[in-house]
Amino acid sequence: YFLLCSATSDRQVQAISDSIVEHIKKDHQISPVSLDGYPEGRWVVIDYGDLVVHIFIDAIREYYNLEGLWSDAPQVKIPQELYLS
C-alpha cells in the first residue's frame, strides 16, 4: 500500500512523520525499514515494506502527482474513526 498525505509546512511534514512512526512502533512494535527526507521536511518517505508512507508539502505533492502515476490502482479510503488525533 501507498499512504499519501499532505502538510502545509516542513515542520508539519516532520510532525506527521514523527506521529506515524511513534504510533506504529507503540501499537504494532514495527520500526520502518527506511525513512528518507526528514531533515529537509519537504517530502518524507517512510518504508514499512508492505506500506510506504509519503508525506508531502502540498505543492510538492501536486507537482509529483503520485495519484496520477498510479491512477489505475484501487484507492482505499481510511475511515474517519481511524484518524489519529
Side-chain angles (χ1 to χ4, degrees):
Y1 290 94
F2 279 176
L3 173 63
L4 308 176
C5 56
S6 300
T8 57
S9 71
D10 57 344
R11 291 203 185 264
Q12 191 177 40
V13 168
Q14 291 167 332
I16 292 168
S17 174
D18 290 342
S19 183
I20 289 170
V21 170
E22 175 188 325
H23 281 86
I24 290 179
K25 178 71 173 174
K26 183 179 89 174
D27 297 345
H28 303 284
Q29 294 74 48
I30 299 171
S31 296
V33 174
S34 67
L35 189 146
D36 193 30
Y38 187 89
E40 299 82 19
R42 297 172 52 79
W43 179 359
V44 173
V45 178
I46 310 169
D47 183 354
Y48 284 101
D50 289 340
L51 171 66
V52 179
V53 180
H54 296 267
I55 310 157
F56 301 89
I57 287 182
D58 288 323
I60 303 289
R61 181 175 181 177
E62 193 173 306
Y63 177 80
Y64 284 101
N65 188 25
L66 291 186
E67 291 94 335
L69 291 173
W70 296 94
S71 62
D72 58 338
Q75 293 189 10
V76 177
K77 295 284 185 184
I78 298 173
Q80 182 84 24
E81 62 270 11
L82 296 180
Y83 288 7
L84 299 176
S85 53

